[in-house]
Amino acid sequence: MTKRQAVMLVCLLWLRYAGSASGQEMAKRTEASENFVVGTITAAPGTRASGFLEVPKGTDAGTRIPVTVIRGIKPGPVLALIAGTHGYEYSPILAMQRFPAKVDPRELAGTIIVVHVANMPSFLGRTIYYSPVDGKNLNRVYPGKDDGTVSERIAASITREVIDRADYLVDLHCGDGNEALRPYSYWEAVGTPELNEKTRQMVLAFGLDHIVIETERPADLAKTVYTSNTAIRRGKPAITTETGLLGRVDTNGTDLAEAGVFNLLRHFKMLSGEPQRVEHPIWIDRSEVLRSPVTGIFHARVQPDQAVAKGTLLGVLTDFFGNAVQEVRAPFAGVVLYIVATPPVSQGEPLGMVGHLKPE
Ligand SMILES: [Zn+2]
């Protein structure tokens, strides 16, 4: 072979190699050398950058969403991590406070978008479930709207700036300020079989052993309602996780959230090493959130993670004079995933959630 022939062969081999990579992979390879921009936040490869997504004033006051972008030096997917969809859920919020400093962008393949506190009005206002500004639940108004109330404008901003930019998403929750909860994840099996399998692998990689199978989520792109469903309906595998409880600042829920996120980074090969997947998942094939028929005071009689039989007394509702009004019982045998453990309840609000264990 002459030198000229050898050069031609190398060129041909290179063309063939380059041609075999999908357009998407090629795009990602190119992207890794470019800045990643979220709102006014620009992260160069191998760096972290933080700033705010501004949610402008509308019919009510505006707000800001604190975001950190960690841009790896190597090509890879974009993972979005959202904490503080509910502002009284502190464990994942605190996990995402310390998380960015623990990721070396020079070791990272791909990009991480961290939403530190999605719902700032609820966080600063110390409210469970609802925004103190518009009374809406941020995790019920997706994909949001730019001309709506503040919760809807937050959702619209996150849909556009975070969900639409991501390849994968985790919505990190915990028991709200009133909920005693045992850790679990949701596997929302509402996409295509291929998407559902990717999502299943994500919940197993995240590492929580109790996994609620959710099969009913709205398909209408204009009314996706939930954060994770909004991602899934846009073709992006997403999970919701629950670690922590009762507005506590304890290390357990925070550590579980952080460990789960690092497991996912290894699962996606964004960091080196193997994730600690759940070895013996407990699949919850049916679950029910029990809602209060009255406004009054709830006295829980069970603990989270407690096994219950059908009919086990979960708690008693009383009026404001201490008179028993109604007993609340388990609708079927299973495990208490969470139970409201502080006194006030309004009609229609959750009292607890019971999960039925899928037979092996
Ligand atoms: Zn929540």
Side-chain angles (χ1 to χ4, degrees), residues 111-133:
T111 304
I112 307 170
I113 307 173
V114 180
V115 174
H116 294 283
V117 183
N119 197 340
M120 194 58 87
S122 160
F123 180 66
L124 293 178
R126 303 171 194 267
T127 53
I128 61 160
Y129 303 151
Y130 320 111
S131 167
V133 177

Side-chain angles (χ1 to χ4, degrees), residues 85-87 89 129 137 139 171-176 179 240-242:
T85 293
H86 295 127
E89 297 180 357
Y129 303 151
N137 182 335
N139 207 24
D171 194 22
L172 297 145
H173 289 249
C174 71
D176 217 320
E179 294 169 346
T240 301
T241 61
E242 303 274 354

